[in-house]
Amino acid sequence: MKTVRFLGMTLLMVLCAVNFTACDNDDEVTLDLNSLEGTWILVNSKGWETSSTGSGEKREWNVTFNPDNFTGGNPDDAIGGSQRVIIEKISENKYSFIYGEYTGYDWYQEPMKIAHINGQNIIFENDIYNTSIEYLNNDKLVVKNSYSQGYFSTEYTNTYIKR
């Protein structure tokens, strides 16, 4: 009887040891940056921002765009027409980003921004936003942006498809 009890307790201890072994879930996502270069069209922007007046008012949005019709959007939303970004590699982990917005008949292009990519983080030169790549493959790019200073805070995620 003592042998059965000893074996039972041993088995119980082994099961407890196996159940309390944790998996390391903090692994950094490895991105294939070869997929990053190209022209990306915004298909969804979802996020929120707080009022800069200090009222604490929080405005949320979730806007979807048709990648074949760039005039979508709503003037009451955070974004009017569709947006695009053209990304080109300059050197190892250094890229140029040219953002643009469709104005109804043509693309308005902002000046080029230079960024270094460190893991999932996109570090733009002279920029105040925290930007990271949440997902990247040959056809889809998901970028998260956040910023907070004083009364104003914002966080949004933009989803792009490659064209």
Side-chain angles (χ1 to χ4, degrees):
M1 185 69 175
K2 287 184 179 181
T3 306
V4 173
R5 180 183 264 170
F6 176 73
L7 289 174
M9 289 300 285
T10 304
L11 181 61
L12 181 63
M13 294 303 288
V14 169
L15 287 174
C16 286
V18 169
N19 284 334
F20 287 116
T21 302
C23 296
D24 183 11
N25 204 14
D26 296 332
D27 294 339
E28 189 170 313
V29 175
T30 303
L31 299 172
D32 179 11
L33 295 179
N34 293 323
S35 304
L36 190 58
E37 285 190 275
T39 300
W40 297 91
I41 302 294
L42 181 68
V43 293
N44 183 267
S45 181
K46 180 178 181 179
W48 58 267
E49 67 182 14
T50 58
S51 173
S52 60
T53 62
S55 67
E57 182 181 337
K58 187 175 183 179
R59 189 169 73 85
E60 297 182 10
W61 68 87
N62 187 356
V63 182
T64 301
F65 298 94
N66 179 346
D68 299 317
N69 178 9
F70 302 127
T71 59
N74 180 336
D76 296 330
D77 290 327
I79 300 169
S82 186
Q83 295 181 351
R84 74 174 179 193
V85 59
I86 301 169
I87 304 172
E88 293 181 5
K89 185 174 185 174
I90 297 173
S91 63
E92 190 66 28
N93 295 333
K94 186 174 182 181
Y95 291 81
S96 69
F97 289 70
I98 301 174
Y99 288 91
E101 183 173 335
Y102 195 71
T103 62
Y105 58 90
D106 202 2
W107 288 98
Y108 164 77
Q109 234 170 245
E110 295 179 8
M112 179 175 51
K113 293 183 176 184
I114 304 296
H116 298 273
I117 298 182
N118 183 8
Q120 288 180 257
N121 296 318
I122 303 174
I123 304 159
F124 286 101
E125 296 175 354
N126 304 317
D127 194 39
I128 57 176
Y129 282 84
N130 295 318
T131 306
S132 63
I133 299 172
E134 298 292 305
Y135 180 81
L136 172 64
N137 70 13
N138 287 329
D139 303 316
K140 184 177 178 181
L141 170 64
V142 180
V143 177
K144 183 177 181 178
N145 296 282
S146 64
Y147 172 73
S148 181
Q149 183 177 10
Y151 294 118
F152 180 76
S153 295
T154 186
E155 184 174 292
Y156 58 95
T157 302
N158 287 343
T159 302
Y160 299 87
I161 60 170
K162 191 177 269 187
R163 286 297 167 136

